[in-house]
């Protein structure tokens, strides 16, 4: 009986040592974190701070597309390092593009995300990746909109380029007059004609911005700068001609059938300029060039043909 008891005690000691050994192998230094968490910060000056597990932590980075070149990484000496910098050496990540600026600092097991500005008029989401030997954890940061980018001015090129090509569009209307007297019909040559305005800015980042842009217009026999239109800096708008109510009277002879052919002459003109921007929080200024091409009807002819 004593021998069995000693064997039982020895077995308990062996199991206790084994469990203790296993616990040492998976012990995590610092607070437990879920696989994914989400934090929200204000767009202008918002900040959030949280603790992370540091044992077996290999690297800290942000998920991003390869063409997003706005990230800079720094070690504890303030020296710029590569994105693959070991977590133990990383002290700060700085990000900057046209609309968003933020800093993330790492001090021991404390990570602080500080957003400087978000001018995009929408929530911007970023994901922090914590890469461990045995797993990966994510912290999603939602950056709320801050003060919007302001347009401080638009300057226009001194001349309007006029395309010398004339573009023609024709329409035929067939009219019958069964009476014994000449009658008249009203013809609106511009009624079905559409004008167009195409704006193209040089830089992709500006395509989603709207601005009040003065567009070329054909008035009193010549092209000149007209009224402003509130347009995206990358857009193509089609609209009815301002001359659609112009009416021409045509005589239709008694007891006859007549074809009325309306030919509208279209012309193109292009202006250009530069839009100046300001991010109000950081005070950063930048600009983009743009062109504005308009096609409008400038004249018409009406021809009549008796079918009898």
């Amino acid at each position: 009986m004593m021998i069995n008891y000693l064997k039982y005690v020895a077995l308990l000691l062996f199991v206790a040592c084994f469990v203790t050994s296993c616990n040492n192998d998976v012990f995590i230094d610092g607070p437990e974190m879920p696989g994914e968490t989400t934090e929200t910060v204000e767009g202008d000056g918002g900040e959030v701070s949280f603790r992370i597990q540091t044992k077996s932590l290999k690297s800290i980075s942000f998920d991003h597309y390869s063409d997003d070149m706005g990230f800079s990484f720094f070690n504890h000496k303030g020296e710029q390092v590569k994105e693959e910098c070991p977590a133990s050496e990383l002290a700060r990540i700085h990000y900057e593009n046209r609309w968003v600026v933020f800093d993330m600092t790492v001090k021991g097991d404390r990570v602080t995300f500080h957003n400087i500005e978000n001018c995009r008029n929408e929530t911007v989401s970023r994901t922090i990746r914590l890469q461990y030997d045995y797993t990966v954890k994510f912290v999603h940061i939602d950056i709320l909109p801050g003060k919007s980018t302001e347009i401080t001015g638009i300057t226009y090129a001194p001349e309007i380029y006029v395309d010398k090509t004339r573009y023609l569009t024709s329409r035929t209307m067939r009219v019958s007059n069964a009476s014994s007297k000449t009658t008249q019909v009203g013809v609106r040559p511009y009624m079905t004609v559409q004008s167009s305005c195409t704006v193209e800015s040089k830089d992709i980042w500006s395509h989603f911005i709207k601005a009040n842009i003065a567009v070329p217009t054909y008035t009193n026999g010549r092209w000149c700068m007209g009224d402003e239109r509130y347009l995206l800096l990358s857009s193509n708008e089609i609209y009815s001609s301002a001359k659609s109510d112009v009416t021409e009277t045509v005589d239709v002879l008694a007891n006859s059938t007549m074809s009325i052919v309306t030919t509208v002459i279209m012309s193109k003109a292009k202006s250009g300029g530069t839009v100046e921007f300001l991010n109000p929080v950081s005070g950063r200024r930048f600009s983009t060039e743009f062109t504005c091409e308009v096609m409008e009807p400038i004249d018409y002819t009406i021809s009549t043909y008796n079918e009898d």
Side-chain angles (χ1 to χ4, degrees), residues 171-175 184-191 243-252 258-264 300-304:
R171 179 170 61 97
T172 300
M173 181 172 62
R174 191 167 180 269
V175 180
Q184 291 183 327
V185 295
V187 177
R188 297 167 61 184
Y190 299 128
M191 183 176 65
K243 305 171 184 177
S244 59
D245 291 334
V246 172
T247 303
E248 187 84 15
T249 300
V250 176
D251 290 334
V252 181
M258 176 182 290
S259 291
I260 304 173
V261 180
T262 304
T263 300
V264 176
Y300 66 90
T301 60
I302 295 179
S303 303
T304 58

Side-chain angles (χ1 to χ4, degrees), residues 124-174:
V124 173
S125 298
R126 290 292 184 180
T127 298
I128 303 170
R129 175 183 291 264
L130 305 172
Q131 184 67 54
Y132 292 88
D133 285 335
Y134 52 88
T135 188
V136 61
K137 296 180 182 292
F138 301 97
V139 181
H140 305 293
I141 307 291
D142 290 336
I143 308 170
L144 300 177
K147 292 181 180 178
S148 302
T149 294
E150 300 172 0
I151 295 176
T152 58
I154 301 177
T155 57
Y156 297 93
E159 295 182 359
I160 298 175
Y161 170 75
V162 179
D163 186 349
K164 297 186 180 300
T165 304
R166 292 295 183 260
Y167 303 88
L168 305 180
T169 177
S170 296
R171 179 170 61 97
T172 300
M173 181 172 62
R174 191 167 180 269

Side-chain angles (χ1 to χ4, degrees), residues 218-289:
Y218 192 82
T219 304
N220 298 324
R222 66 183 184 91
W223 283 98
C224 61
M225 294 302 289
D227 296 333
E228 292 181 345
R229 296 176 65 89
Y230 191 52
L231 302 168
L232 281 170
L233 292 179
S234 178
S235 60
N236 180 34
E237 292 197 357
I238 297 175
Y239 48 94
S240 298
S241 169
K243 305 171 184 177
S244 59
D245 291 334
V246 172
T247 303
E248 187 84 15
T249 300
V250 176
D251 290 334
V252 181
L253 299 178
N255 301 310
S256 69
T257 300
M258 176 182 290
S259 291
I260 304 173
V261 180
T262 304
T263 300
V264 176
I265 304 168
M266 308 287 291
S267 176
K268 286 182 181 180
K270 182 184 290 187
S271 63
T274 302
V275 184
E276 303 285 343
F277 301 93
L278 169 68
N279 285 359
V281 175
S282 65
R284 294 182 299 156
R285 295 179 181 271
F286 44 97
S287 62
T288 188
E289 297 177 355

Side-chain angles (χ1 to χ4, degrees), residues 18-276:
F18 177 79
V19 170
T20 302
S21 174
C22 291
N23 284 343
N24 284 339
D25 287 342
V26 300
F27 178 74
I28 301 299
D29 177 25
E32 289 288 346
M33 290 182 62
E36 295 191 28
T37 59
T38 300
E39 303 286 351
T40 301
V41 298
E42 294 294 328
D44 296 335
E47 186 173 290
V48 63
S49 184
F50 50 89
R51 296 177 66 197
I52 61 173
Q53 302 166 5
T54 57
K55 186 174 182 178
S56 300
L57 178 60
K58 296 174 62 177
S59 64
I60 304 174
S61 62
F62 281 86
D63 287 349
H64 63 91
Y65 293 109
S66 59
D67 60 350
D68 189 346
M69 309 299 291
F71 288 95
S72 300
F73 299 79
F74 300 89
N75 61 20
H76 296 285
K77 297 179 181 180
E79 301 167 335
Q80 190 165 347
V81 294
K82 293 183 178 180
E83 184 173 358
E84 298 79 16
C85 170
S88 60
E89 299 177 16
L90 182 66
R92 184 169 72 97
I93 299 176
H94 178 77
Y95 180 79
E96 184 171 328
N97 66 16
R98 295 284 182 183
W99 320 114
V100 178
V101 182
F102 62 75
D103 268 313
M104 190 186 79
T105 57
V106 183
K107 293 182 179 180
D109 67 350
R110 176 69 61 181
V111 174
T112 301
F113 182 96
H114 176 72
N115 200 72
I116 298 170
E117 69 179 355
N118 174 16
C119 301
R120 282 192 64 95
N121 295 324
E122 63 184 14
T123 298
V124 173
S125 298
R126 290 292 184 180
T127 298
I128 303 170
R129 175 183 291 264
L130 305 172
Q131 184 67 54
Y132 292 88
D133 285 335
Y134 52 88
T135 188
V136 61
K137 296 180 182 292
F138 301 97
V139 181
H140 305 293
I141 307 291
D142 290 336
I143 308 170
L144 300 177
K147 292 181 180 178
S148 302
T149 294
E150 300 172 0
I151 295 176
T152 58
I154 301 177
T155 57
Y156 297 93
E159 295 182 359
I160 298 175
Y161 170 75
V162 179
D163 186 349
K164 297 186 180 300
T165 304
R166 292 295 183 260
Y167 303 88
L168 305 180
T169 177
S170 296
R171 179 170 61 97
T172 300
M173 181 172 62
R174 191 167 180 269
V175 180
S176 294
N177 180 14
S179 71
S180 57
K181 296 181 179 181
T182 298
T183 190
Q184 291 183 327
V185 295
V187 177
R188 297 167 61 184
Y190 299 128
M191 183 176 65
T192 60
V193 174
Q194 292 182 315
S195 300
S196 65
C197 178
T198 303
V199 179
E200 294 182 356
S201 56
K202 180 179 179 180
D203 300 294
I204 295 176
W205 51 260
S206 64
H207 288 179
F208 71 94
I209 298 176
K210 275 190 168 184
N212 287 309
I213 299 174
V215 302
T217 187
Y218 192 82
T219 304
N220 298 324
R222 66 183 184 91
W223 283 98
C224 61
M225 294 302 289
D227 296 333
E228 292 181 345
R229 296 176 65 89
Y230 191 52
L231 302 168
L232 281 170
L233 292 179
S234 178
S235 60
N236 180 34
E237 292 197 357
I238 297 175
Y239 48 94
S240 298
S241 169
K243 305 171 184 177
S244 59
D245 291 334
V246 172
T247 303
E248 187 84 15
T249 300
V250 176
D251 290 334
V252 181
L253 299 178
N255 301 310
S256 69
T257 300
M258 176 182 290
S259 291
I260 304 173
V261 180
T262 304
T263 300
V264 176
I265 304 168
M266 308 287 291
S267 176
K268 286 182 181 180
K270 182 184 290 187
S271 63
T274 302
V275 184
E276 303 285 343

